[in-house]
PDB file of all heavy atoms in Angstrom:
ATOM      1  N   ILE A 158    -115.476-114.313-118.100  1.00 90.00           N
ATOM      2  CA  ILE A 158    -114.663-115.237-117.292  1.00 90.00           C
ATOM      3  C   ILE A 158    -113.984-114.481-116.156  1.00 90.00           C
ATOM      4  O   ILE A 158    -113.938-114.957-115.022  1.00 90.00           O
ATOM      5  CB  ILE A 158    -113.641-115.967-118.176  1.00 90.00           C
ATOM      6  CG1 ILE A 158    -114.361-116.960-119.091  1.00 90.00           C
ATOM      7  CG2 ILE A 158    -112.595-116.685-117.334  1.00 90.00           C
ATOM      8  CD1 ILE A 158    -113.478-117.581-120.138  1.00 90.00           C
ATOM      9  N   ASN A 161    -116.654-113.631-113.410  1.00 92.00           N
ATOM     10  CA  ASN A 161    -117.282-114.752-112.708  1.00 92.00           C
ATOM     11  C   ASN A 161    -116.278-115.692-112.042  1.00 92.00           C
ATOM     12  O   ASN A 161    -116.613-116.316-111.042  1.00 92.00           O
ATOM     13  CB  ASN A 161    -118.157-115.557-113.664  1.00 92.00           C
ATOM     14  CG  ASN A 161    -119.400-114.785-114.038  1.00 92.00           C
ATOM     15  OD1 ASN A 161    -119.950-114.068-113.222  1.00 92.00           O
ATOM     16  ND2 ASN A 161    -119.827-114.918-115.266  1.00 92.00           N
ATOM     17  N   TYR A 162    -115.090-115.810-112.607  1.00 90.00           N
ATOM     18  CA  TYR A 162    -114.140-116.798-112.103  1.00 90.00           C
ATOM     19  C   TYR A 162    -112.812-116.171-111.677  1.00 90.00           C
ATOM     20  O   TYR A 162    -111.809-116.853-111.560  1.00 90.00           O
ATOM     21  CB  TYR A 162    -113.878-117.861-113.168  1.00 90.00           C
ATOM     22  CG  TYR A 162    -115.128-118.592-113.583  1.00 90.00           C
ATOM     23  CD1 TYR A 162    -115.736-118.334-114.817  1.00 90.00           C
ATOM     24  CD2 TYR A 162    -115.722-119.515-112.741  1.00 90.00           C
ATOM     25  CE1 TYR A 162    -116.892-118.992-115.191  1.00 90.00           C
ATOM     26  CE2 TYR A 162    -116.880-120.181-113.106  1.00 90.00           C
ATOM     27  CZ  TYR A 162    -117.453-119.918-114.331  1.00 90.00           C
ATOM     28  OH  TYR A 162    -118.592-120.562-114.703  1.00 90.00           O
ATOM     29  N   GLY A 163    -112.805-114.890-111.420  1.00 86.00           N
ATOM     30  CA  GLY A 163    -111.575-114.185-111.050  1.00 86.00           C
ATOM     31  C   GLY A 163    -110.929-114.733-109.790  1.00 86.00           C
ATOM     32  O   GLY A 163    -109.707-114.897-109.725  1.00 86.00           O
ATOM     33  N   ASP A 164    -111.730-115.040-108.780  1.00 87.00           N
ATOM     34  CA  ASP A 164    -111.182-115.564-107.524  1.00 87.00           C
ATOM     35  C   ASP A 164    -110.559-116.936-107.717  1.00 87.00           C
ATOM     36  O   ASP A 164    -109.489-117.230-107.174  1.00 87.00           O
ATOM     37  CB  ASP A 164    -112.277-115.645-106.460  1.00 87.00           C
ATOM     38  CG  ASP A 164    -112.789-114.273-106.059  1.00 87.00           C
ATOM     39  OD1 ASP A 164    -112.032-113.290-106.219  1.00 87.00           O
ATOM     40  OD2 ASP A 164    -113.940-114.195-105.587  1.00 87.00           O
ATOM     41  N   GLU A 165    -111.209-117.795-108.509  1.00 87.00           N
ATOM     42  CA  GLU A 165    -110.676-119.129-108.756  1.00 87.00           C
ATOM     43  C   GLU A 165    -109.367-119.049-109.544  1.00 87.00           C
ATOM     44  O   GLU A 165    -108.406-119.766-109.254  1.00 87.00           O
ATOM     45  CB  GLU A 165    -111.681-119.998-109.507  1.00 87.00           C
ATOM     46  CG  GLU A 165    -112.867-120.422-108.669  1.00 87.00           C
ATOM     47  CD  GLU A 165    -113.979-119.394-108.681  1.00 87.00           C
ATOM     48  OE1 GLU A 165    -113.830-118.329-109.294  1.00 87.00           O
ATOM     49  OE2 GLU A 165    -115.017-119.667-108.047  1.00 87.00           O
ATOM     50  N   VAL A 166    -109.323-118.175-110.538  1.00 82.00           N
ATOM     51  CA  VAL A 166    -108.104-118.010-111.327  1.00 82.00           C
ATOM     52  C   VAL A 166    -106.971-117.497-110.444  1.00 82.00           C
ATOM     53  O   VAL A 166    -105.841-117.978-110.526  1.00 82.00           O
ATOM     54  CB  VAL A 166    -108.354-117.054-112.519  1.00 82.00           C
ATOM     55  CG1 VAL A 166    -107.063-116.691-113.216  1.00 82.00           C
ATOM     56  CG2 VAL A 166    -109.330-117.677-113.501  1.00 82.00           C
ATOM     57  N   GLN A 167    -107.272-116.560-109.577  1.00 83.00           N
ATOM     58  CA  GLN A 167    -106.250-116.015-108.678  1.00 83.00           C
ATOM     59  C   GLN A 167    -105.722-117.083-107.731  1.00 83.00           C
ATOM     60  O   GLN A 167    -104.528-117.155-107.475  1.00 83.00           O
ATOM     61  CB  GLN A 167    -106.814-114.832-107.883  1.00 83.00           C
ATOM     62  CG  GLN A 167    -105.787-114.089-107.083  1.00 83.00           C
ATOM     63  CD  GLN A 167    -104.757-113.399-107.964  1.00 83.00           C
ATOM     64  OE1 GLN A 167    -105.070-112.920-109.048  1.00 83.00           O
ATOM     65  NE2 GLN A 167    -103.537-113.350-107.508  1.00 83.00           N
ATOM     66  N   SER A 168    -106.601-117.939-107.206  1.00 84.00           N
ATOM     67  CA  SER A 168    -106.150-118.986-106.292  1.00 84.00           C
ATOM     68  C   SER A 168    -105.286-120.010-107.010  1.00 84.00           C
ATOM     69  O   SER A 168    -104.330-120.528-106.440  1.00 84.00           O
ATOM     70  CB  SER A 168    -107.340-119.664-105.615  1.00 84.00           C
ATOM     71  OG  SER A 168    -108.092-120.411-106.540  1.00 84.00           O
ATOM     72  N   VAL A 169    -105.597-120.307-108.265  1.00 78.00           N
ATOM     73  CA  VAL A 169    -104.762-121.231-109.038  1.00 78.00           C
ATOM     74  C   VAL A 169    -103.398-120.607-109.306  1.00 78.00           C
ATOM     75  O   VAL A 169    -102.364-121.278-109.215  1.00 78.00           O
ATOM     76  CB  VAL A 169    -105.463-121.623-110.357  1.00 78.00           C
ATOM     77  CG1 VAL A 169    -104.506-122.328-111.302  1.00 78.00           C
ATOM     78  CG2 VAL A 169    -106.667-122.491-110.084  1.00 78.00           C
ATOM     79  N   MET A 170    -103.376-119.319-109.631  1.00 77.00           N
ATOM     80  CA  MET A 170    -102.112-118.653-109.932  1.00 77.00           C
ATOM     81  C   MET A 170    -101.238-118.528-108.689  1.00 77.00           C
ATOM     82  O   MET A 170    -100.012-118.451-108.801  1.00 77.00           O
ATOM     83  CB  MET A 170    -102.372-117.276-110.543  1.00 77.00           C
ATOM     84  CG  MET A 170    -102.953-117.364-111.925  1.00 77.00           C
ATOM     85  SD  MET A 170    -103.288-115.755-112.645  1.00 77.00           S
ATOM     86  CE  MET A 170    -101.666-115.061-112.750  1.00 77.00           C
ATOM     87  N   ASP A 171    -101.834-118.515-107.512  1.00 80.00           N
ATOM     88  CA  ASP A 171    -101.059-118.416-106.281  1.00 80.00           C
ATOM     89  C   ASP A 171    -100.589-119.772-105.763  1.00 80.00           C
ATOM     90  O   ASP A 171     -99.834-119.826-104.800  1.00 80.00           O
ATOM     91  CB  ASP A 171    -101.886-117.729-105.193  1.00 80.00           C
ATOM     92  CG  ASP A 171    -102.085-116.251-105.476  1.00 80.00           C
ATOM     93  OD1 ASP A 171    -101.302-115.682-106.257  1.00 80.00           O
ATOM     94  OD2 ASP A 171    -103.033-115.668-104.910  1.00 80.00           O
TER      95      ASP A 171
END
Side-chain angles (χ1 to χ4, degrees):
I158 290 172
N161 289 324
Y162 301 106
D164 294 335
E165 289 86 357
V166 171
Q167 188 65 35
S168 68
V169 168
M170 290 179 64
D171 290 339

